[in-house]
Amino acid sequence: MMKFEDFKKAAFDAALEKGCTAAEVLLTDEEQFSVNIQKGEIEDYASAHSFGLNLRVSLNGRDGYAYTELLEEPEQLVERAMDNAGTIESDDDHPMQPACEYVEVKAPECRAMDMTADEKIAYAKQLEEKLLAADPRVLRSETTAVATVRVTKRLHNTLGLAADKTGDLCYSVIVPIMQQGEELKNSVAFRTGDEIFDIDGLVKEGVDGAVEQFNASPVPSGEYKVVLRNNAAADMLAAFSSMFSADACQKGLSLLAGREGQFIASEAVTIMDDPFYAKNPRAFDDEGVPSVTKKVVDKGVLTTLLHNLKTAKKAGVASTSNGGRSSSGPVGVSPSNFYIVEGEKSLDELIAAMQNGLVIFDVSGLHSGLNPVSGDFSLIAKGLLVEDGKAVRSVDQITVAGNFLKLMQSITEVGSDLKMGIPMGAVVGSPSLLIEKLVVSGS
């Protein structure tokens, strides 16, 4: 197998000789480890190394792509990419990023990357032991997993771009199954980075998440004030994040098309896309564009859509450094670290301010129960009934329905408890949100 530099040069030379105006390679090299413990024994174990190179060529104003897992026969890879370009119907010009400089970013420490496989397994076993001992109602653990990932990307093109980066990811996940009487409940809790060593906090979160579901029953149908807890709010924002893509807007697949400068949410809402967010920083996007921090929504006003180089040129604006791509796919649009900016009140203070209503801590059916084009959703939910500012009992077997933009406009207060997802590519987060009204279908 050829070395990367030799393969790259041969592919670039062949592309230019065959009539391409530009060529680009994205090499992705990933090392992954994961272990899941069940009853003190290894249930699942993986230690894998994956490698691939994505070639992009520009031919007659169109992009063509080809992918390989072997650095061999670069000329044939170029021919495949050129053939692919011939099948593309879009005439939108998609520039490549020329050579540029980047600010230096400091990645967070991830001590688990230096642990041996045996040490990671021992840690996962210790995590399960603490979980099983935390509460007599813990029947077993469906998942007690520890994982580490190291990804190296090298993005080079014929315009002189040479953008290289290596990123580490560590996370732990637990899914306790708890029994009280005849009821069985489970919940999910996770930690990332060095926070995975906060075993007590992780176990408490997992156990508390299951306990709060016991003795649940539905509430009567109607409109309710709602506190959408941070994890559920983040899940919904992630599910609707494609609405903010300039590519979706330009294709007529988003309600936000042409709405820059308009209110799309209440003044309580500011949404950031911050590639320099401390727990998951990056110096450039997947097109090599230097990272840019921006307020996508500023006190309710949509200030910008998320652009890659193609959508930015079509709109006559600068890229917002939101070019995204998988190891083998074409360039698209993707958030970096996308989140609602936290406010000042704790979750308890939001609940007290609501006085009477529901806390929603789980929404399911996100793949089938919502439409990111229309913004409509109808989701199965779980939560807590709140009376006089206090949670009085658990709630399940309800459905919450509405429209995402109307929900955003109904937010009256934003909590201080920002929660971010696991940093796998785009990361989406939110604090808890106090919503003036939401339609609930129950008993």
Side-chain angles (χ1 to χ4, degrees):
M1 189 166 68
M2 299 173 67
K3 294 182 178 180
F4 170 72
E5 293 294 339
D6 295 333
F7 185 92
K8 176 188 74 172
K9 183 179 184 306
F12 287 173
D13 289 346
L16 297 177
E17 289 171 3
K18 293 176 183 292
C20 298
T21 55
E24 183 174 82
V25 291
L26 172 64
L27 179 145
T28 304
D29 192 337
E30 180 173 310
E31 298 176 16
Q32 185 175 50
F33 173 92
S34 63
V35 62
N36 181 37
I37 300 297
Q38 289 270 342
K39 298 179 180 178
E41 301 294 332
I42 296 175
E43 176 75 9
D44 295 301
Y45 178 93
S47 181
H49 178 214
S50 61
F51 174 92
L53 182 138
N54 190 358
L55 171 70
R56 171 189 171 199
V57 300
S58 181
L59 179 66
N60 300 323
R62 298 177 180 180
D63 282 351
Y65 293 86
Y67 178 77
T68 182
E69 294 180 354
L70 294 173
L71 296 187
E72 298 175 353
E73 301 178 335
E75 294 83 2
Q76 291 188 17
L77 191 68
V78 169
E79 290 175 359
R80 284 165 45 201
M82 293 175 65
D83 289 342
N84 178 263
T87 67
I88 303 300
E89 297 180 359
S90 173
D91 291 325
D92 293 338
D93 185 23
H94 195 158
M96 292 185 188
Q97 174 67 29
C100 59
E101 295 183 356
Y102 304 110
V103 300
E104 185 177 351
V105 297
K106 181 175 176 57
E109 289 189 12
C110 200
R111 286 180 287 139
M113 296 301 305
D114 297 324
M115 295 168 64
T116 66
D118 286 343
E119 288 171 336
K120 295 172 190 176
I121 293 169
Y123 165 76
K125 289 182 177 181
Q126 180 187 5
L127 181 56
E128 188 197 36
E129 289 173 3
K130 287 217 169 188
L131 176 59
L132 295 177
D135 189 296
R137 291 169 292 182
V138 177
L139 189 64
R140 61 184 178 88
S141 174
E142 180 179 310
T143 300
T144 307
V146 176
T148 58
V149 184
R150 173 164 287 164
V151 180
T152 297
K153 291 187 177 183
R154 306 190 69 184
L155 180 64
H156 294 216
N157 64 31
T158 54
L159 303 183
L161 180 72
D164 300 333
K165 62 181 177 182
T166 297
D168 293 338
L169 166 64
C170 315
Y171 64 91
S172 56
V173 180
I174 58 171
V175 183
I177 297 177
M178 301 185 66
Q179 182 172 16
Q180 182 170 290
E182 298 298 318
E183 290 187 88
L184 290 175
K185 301 294 181 182
N186 67 7
S187 69
V188 180
F190 68 87
R191 292 287 188 272
T192 62
D194 274 1
E195 293 178 2
I196 71 169
F197 298 108
D198 175 23
I199 294 181
D200 292 339
L202 177 60
V203 167
K204 184 178 187 305
E205 181 181 334
V207 169
D208 289 350
V211 168
E212 66 185 355
Q213 299 177 52
F214 287 126
N215 300 315
S217 59
V219 293
S221 298
E223 288 187 345
Y224 288 79
K225 286 187 176 182
V226 165
V227 171
L228 191 62
R229 206 163 70 184
N230 53 11
N231 58 303
D235 287 344
M236 289 196 67
L237 181 61
F240 283 107
S241 61
S242 63
M243 295 180 71
F244 297 89
S245 162
D247 188 48
C249 289
Q250 292 173 1
K251 292 176 179 176
L253 300 176
S254 170
L255 292 175
L256 299 182
R259 296 195 61 180
E260 293 99 321
Q262 298 179 18
F263 278 96
I264 66 162
S266 78
E267 292 186 9
V269 177
T270 294
I271 300 178
M272 296 292 297
D273 185 76
D274 181 9
F276 296 109
Y277 182 74
K279 292 184 179 181
N280 186 43
R282 72 182 193 194
F284 52 87
D285 70 1
D286 287 344
E287 291 187 292
V289 175
S291 290
V292 178
T293 299
K294 56 276 180 190
K295 291 181 179 179
V296 180
V297 176
D298 187 8
K299 296 180 180 178
V301 176
L302 178 66
T303 59
T304 182
L305 298 171
L306 302 180
H307 285 278
N308 62 19
L309 288 169
K310 180 177 75 171
T311 64
K313 183 165 186 177
K314 188 173 182 178
V317 299
S319 170
T320 58
S321 71
N322 289 103
R325 64 199 294 191
S326 65
S327 60
S328 59
V331 177
V333 173
S334 175
S336 58
N337 301 297
F338 190 71
Y339 60 92
I340 297 176
V341 176
E342 62 265 49
E344 297 180 354
K345 289 188 176 180
S346 68
L347 175 60
D348 288 341
E349 288 172 326
L350 291 183
I351 294 172
M354 178 173 65
Q355 279 295 294
N356 297 290
L358 296 172
V359 175
I360 301 297
F361 55 66
D362 181 77
V363 288
S364 58
L366 291 166
H367 295 291
S368 59
L370 59 78
N371 185 334
V373 178
S374 68
D376 295 332
F377 62 88
S378 179
L379 304 170
I380 298 170
K382 299 176 183 178
L384 302 168
L385 177 64
V386 175
E387 295 178 351
D388 297 325
K390 301 290 185 182
V392 295
R393 68 172 178 87
S394 300
V395 174
D396 65 2
Q397 301 179 59
I398 62 171
T399 299
V400 295
N403 181 274
F404 180 69
L405 292 185
K406 290 182 179 179
L407 181 146
M408 296 289 285
Q409 292 158 3
S410 297
I411 296 170
T412 57
E413 294 193 68
V414 176
S416 59
D417 55 343
L418 174 63
K419 186 176 182 66
M420 302 292 283
I422 294 177
M424 293 182 174
V427 183
V428 180
S430 176
S432 297
L433 308 172
L434 177 55
I435 299 165
E436 181 63 28
K437 63 180 179 179
L438 189 61
V439 174
V440 175
S441 297
S443 58

